Amino acid sequence: MAEIITANIGYKPNQDVFSETMQRLAENDKDIIAVTSDSRGSGKLVPFGKKFPKQIVEVGIAEQNLVGVAAGLASCGKKVFAVSPACFLTARALEQIKNDVAYSDNPVKVIGISAGVSYGALGSTHHSLHDFAVLRAINNIIIVAPADNYETEKAVELASQTPHPVYMRFGKKPMPLLNEANDDSFAFGKGRVIREGDDVAIIATGETVYPALLAANKLSEQNISTAVVSMHTIKPLDTALVKKLAEKCRAVITVEEHSVCGGLGEACASYLLQQGIMKPFAIIGIPDEYTVTGSQQDIFNHYDISEKGIAARAVSLLKK
Amino acid sequence: MTIKELKQRSIQYRKNVLKYILQAKAGHTGGSLSCVDILNVLYNDTMNVSPQNFSSPDRDRYIQSKGHSVEALYVVLADKGFFPEKDLETLCQYKSHYIGHPTRKVNGIEQNTGALGHGLPIAAGTALAAKLDGRAYRVFTLLGDGELPEGSNWEAALTAAHYQLDNLCAIIDKNTLQITGATADVCNTDPLDKKFESFGWAVKEVDGNDPGELKKLFDSLPFEKGKPSLVIAHTVKGKGVSFMENDVKWHHGVPGKEQYEKAIEELDHALTVI
Ligand SMILES: Cc1ncc(C[n+]2csc(CCOP(=O)(O)OP(=O)(O)O)c2C)c(N)n1
Ligand SMILES: [Mg+2]
């Protein structure tokens, strides 16, 4: 059950699955529109643009304009996916997301590509380590970070049917399938239990679920029973699942490709504390410092977002 | 430096850009090759800036808005002695400060850039500070033609004209390409001269790959007293390497060993016919 299944659609970047799903949806729905800002290459939407030239709108390098135009299109019944690197979309165009999308309830799907530190050595201008935090503080936008190809496909399908704003972020790295992907239970706001366990619970999101699962397998060699959850929806948070895990396990760890400030970890901590549930708790993410330079993998290793790093934190947390 | 020497430098810089991109297996090749002559003339002729005066408040400033073409900037700064060229062997590696966009962790770099549409507003503020302090330094910023749809550029264009920042010179590297394709097809911004003139700027055009023409033009700054100056530099993306020129795939395409050797051969040949 904890096995990582790599057959059928495994090992594609989630971004590729996003683009394939977009093509499938557009096949039967002329209202599906992608809006891009010189970002169709990074968003893997070149084939989409060739196949559906009337369903792609290009605004040039202008992310604020991108989100505003998307809001206008969405207000007229178009199912709009505004696609641009997560770093620019959720920083530069934040006011457009806040006012034109969330506040006005225009059901734009804001798609942040190459999210987190996917752009590694391009540096902090190209990292999105703030997107969960800023969007969590904005009312009326669902925040999703799919872990694998299965979750990505389901999330994109679901978003296209959701009549409200959704933010979704993807990375560039090929992702293995994490679990039996043939159940149809995927829903926003419902975390997926990838592995059961009762010593420590690891609540991870996006591309960090995979190293969390590897860490859990490693911990089981030391007879530490570890639960792993893919918390693909950061908001609304699956508080029932967070509560259940924290009550059952001796310690809780969260993992995210995001600043430790204001993301998944703090959302869980805030909820648990207000419920009066106090367990040894650790947030693994990018600390509040000048981010180390290097590739995504270098950065992950440096900050313990790795099999070894997560397992070591679990062991030390259980000693508390 | 004579024009001939400047031309030789440009070719050497191109060779170095390719060398370090090959080593790092990463980089923005096309845009670095298109702007290298501009950086060459600014740093070796026009600007009053060097490792010796870099902490002086009176130095001229250069802010690279099209931060992705950082390899060109690194190579020129190394040649000026801001840091040992050998440092560039760590380009894009774990813990190296020589990353894919300019940061102030590298000696000689004024501002951290990489998100497009930031250079001109910062340059306007830097030029305004000179006016407020009665200092004579000048501020240069380099923009890509693809980054012009960012609204912040046009907001800063208004500020610069409003405050009569004739100590500010913005240069557009008009290589006519961006990532998706031709800039004219992605989001047409022409006619740039009329747009900027109507915003209150003095505008001149130049062959941006000709060091001699660039020198002459920069020598005539400011183009008009009381107005910020805009240089529309007509350039070729991938300039100097036949198979890279005018081909979008070299925006962030990285050469393999064979392509690299072929490129160096062409550039070495160009050195012999200056
Ligand atoms: C705000 C922002 N949006 C998008 C990008 C991604 N990006 C990097 S380079 C580039 C194309 C730039 O084209 P151009 O300005 O013409 O540069 P050049 O041709 O000189 O390389 C894009 C879209 C970015 N760096 N910053
Ligand atoms: Mg260009």
Side-chain angles (χ1 to χ4, degrees):
Chain A
M1 109 135 278
E3 217 139 287
I4 297 160
I5 299 157
T6 53
N8 54 20
I9 56 167
Y11 280 108
K12 272 188 208 172
N14 290 342
Q15 243 155 247
D16 293 28
V17 176
F18 158 69
S19 138
E20 288 164 15
T21 310
M22 284 287 285
Q23 285 190 55
R24 189 160 49 70
L25 295 173
E27 206 81 67
N28 306 311
D29 191 344
K30 291 281 157 256
D31 282 336
I32 298 271
I33 305 248
V35 191
T36 52
S37 53
D38 200 13
S39 49
R40 78 181 67 187
S42 346
K44 305 291 173 72
L45 288 169
V46 173
F48 178 95
K50 288 210 169 110
K51 219 161 155 194
F52 308 103
K54 291 213 170 107
Q55 287 169 258
I56 190 160
V57 174
E58 172 63 60
V59 300
I61 305 172
E63 294 77 11
Q64 297 176 303
N65 187 31
L66 168 100
V67 176
V69 167
L73 286 163
S75 74
C76 301
K78 302 294 176 196
K79 295 171 187 156
V80 186
F81 289 74
V83 186
S84 193
C87 53
F88 311 128
L89 208 43
T90 60
R92 189 182 215 103
L94 183 60
E95 189 170 88
Q96 279 75 13
I97 295 175
K98 170 175 169 270
N99 296 350
D100 312 344
V101 176
Y103 182 42
S104 304
D105 198 20
N106 283 311
V108 174
K109 313 310 159 209
V110 181
I111 306 294
I113 54 180
S114 307
V117 293
S118 298
Y119 279 135
L122 292 184
S124 289
T125 53
H126 283 57
H127 298 165
S128 50
L129 298 175
H130 61 281
D131 49 347
F132 296 162
V134 295
L135 295 177
R136 273 183 68 220
I138 289 173
N139 170 246
N140 193 36
I141 186 159
I142 296 170
I143 308 169
V144 187
D148 65 359
N149 293 180
Y150 162 75
E151 290 186 5
T152 301
E153 183 176 2
K154 290 288 169 194
V156 175
E157 278 173 11
L158 203 55
S160 75
Q161 298 154 15
T162 304
H164 299 290
V166 178
Y167 170 70
M168 214 179 290
R169 54 131 93 168
F170 306 117
K172 281 154 59 101
K173 193 167 136 183
M175 297 310 293
L177 276 182
L178 298 172
N179 207 340
E180 295 288 354
N182 50 13
D183 65 280
D184 268 333
S185 60
F186 184 91
F188 293 149
K190 282 266 159 272
R192 286 174 71 225
V193 180
I194 307 292
R195 191 187 202 282
E196 302 276 2
D198 45 30
D199 287 324
V200 59
I202 307 179
I203 303 172
T205 191
E207 297 196 0
T208 68
V209 181
Y210 179 55
L213 193 52
L214 295 179
N217 291 343
K218 196 177 158 86
L219 287 166
S220 73
E221 290 163 15
Q222 302 167 50
N223 289 323
I224 297 171
S225 160
T226 309
V228 176
V229 166
S230 168
M231 195 61 85
H232 49 72
T233 309
I234 305 293
K235 198 178 144 185
L237 185 67
D238 188 350
T239 49
L241 181 57
V242 173
K243 184 170 186 212
K244 202 171 107 190
L245 290 163
E247 281 173 344
K248 182 163 127 188
C249 297
R250 290 192 286 136
V252 178
I253 295 182
T254 63
V255 194
E256 60 200 301
E257 190 177 356
H258 185 275
S259 166
V260 295
C261 304
L264 172 67
E266 285 195 356
C268 292
S270 153
Y271 170 75
L272 289 174
L273 194 56
Q274 292 182 73
Q275 291 292 308
I277 304 170
M278 270 164 276
K279 286 281 168 86
F281 188 93
I283 299 176
I284 299 182
I286 312 292
D288 183 24
E289 65 180 34
Y290 193 98
T291 307
V292 76
T293 58
S295 66
Q296 182 193 39
Q297 197 57 55
D298 290 336
I299 297 172
F300 274 16
N301 292 340
H302 185 87
Y303 293 121
D304 283 347
I305 306 176
S306 62
E307 175 181 359
K308 205 170 121 207
I310 298 170
R313 293 272 201 110
V315 169
S316 73
L317 199 60
L318 283 172
K319 285 189 189 138
K320 279 194 181 160
Chain B
M1 212 175 276
T2 65
I3 304 294
K4 185 168 177 190
E5 282 166 334
L6 283 172
K7 286 184 175 170
Q8 283 165 342
R9 289 274 157 135
S10 279
I11 295 174
Q12 191 51 51
Y13 291 155
R14 290 195 159 85
K15 288 174 62 179
N16 284 356
V17 162
L18 294 172
K19 176 175 156 190
Y20 293 109
I21 286 178
L22 177 81
Q23 272 187 18
K25 298 192 185 69
H28 286 84
T29 311
S32 285
L33 294 177
S34 72
C35 71
V36 97
D37 303 290
I38 298 166
L39 294 187
N40 177 11
V41 176
L42 286 177
Y43 275 95
N44 288 309
D45 193 83
T46 310
M47 289 199 302
N48 171 31
V49 66
S50 66
Q52 291 69 41
N53 79 349
F54 193 62
S55 52
S56 159
D58 292 315
R59 72 189 183 282
D60 285 341
R61 268 85 160 170
Y62 170 76
I63 295 164
Q64 187 159 310
S65 192
K66 45 169 273 179
H68 57 279
S69 302
V70 71
E71 291 84 15
L73 182 56
Y74 286 153
V75 158
V76 173
L77 291 178
D79 183 48
K80 286 286 284 180
F82 280 97
F83 51 82
E85 193 192 300
K86 208 171 150 359
D87 286 5
L88 294 178
E89 286 168 13
T90 67
L91 183 63
C92 290
Q93 287 175 13
Y94 179 48
K95 290 192 171 172
S96 169
H97 287 314
Y98 300 86
I99 64 168
H101 291 98
T103 74
R104 300 167 94 166
K105 300 271 179 191
V106 172
N107 193 29
I109 287 178
E110 294 281 359
Q111 295 293 344
N112 295 15
T113 55
L116 296 167
H118 286 250
L120 192 54
I122 305 173
T126 312
L128 183 55
K131 296 279 183 197
L132 295 174
D133 291 344
R135 293 190 189 276
Y137 67 81
R138 299 179 299 170
V139 185
F140 296 83
T141 181
L142 179 70
L143 290 81
D145 50 355
E147 76 169 290
L148 293 174
E150 291 288 6
S152 49
N153 291 315
W154 302 96
E155 295 174 25
L158 291 173
T159 303
H162 184 78
Y163 282 97
Q164 304 182 0
L165 301 178
D166 55 8
N167 54 346
L168 171 66
C169 173
I171 304 150
I172 296 172
D173 180 2
K174 197 169 194 300
N175 57 28
T176 73
L177 297 178
Q178 49 194 105
I179 298 180
T180 305
T183 297
D185 297 333
V186 174
C187 178
N188 188 21
T189 51
D190 283 334
L192 280 178
D193 53 347
K194 294 211 175 66
K195 286 195 175 79
F196 272 88
E197 274 159 13
S198 75
F199 272 59
W201 286 57
V203 182
K204 296 226 162 134
E205 312 212 14
V206 69
D207 176 347
N209 293 128
D210 184 333
E213 292 300 309
L214 283 164
K215 176 182 156 45
K216 240 193 302 178
L217 189 67
F218 291 145
D219 281 346
S220 72
L221 284 167
F223 301 148
E224 215 178 305
K225 209 171 157 4
K227 285 187 176 181
S229 304
L230 180 80
V231 174
I232 300 174
H234 297 279
T235 58
V236 171
K237 204 158 177 170
K239 175 75 182 177
V241 180
S242 59
F243 59 91
M244 292 180 179
E245 289 189 356
N246 293 313
D247 184 346
V248 274
K249 92 166 185 231
W250 291 102
H251 173 78
H252 42 208
V254 171
K257 187 104 182 58
E258 251 170 58
Q259 288 169 315
Y260 170 75
E261 275 158 13
K262 190 157 177 285
I264 295 297
E265 207 176 290
E266 287 188 19
L267 290 165
D268 279 336
H269 175 73
L271 267 178
T272 65
V273 297
I274 292 174

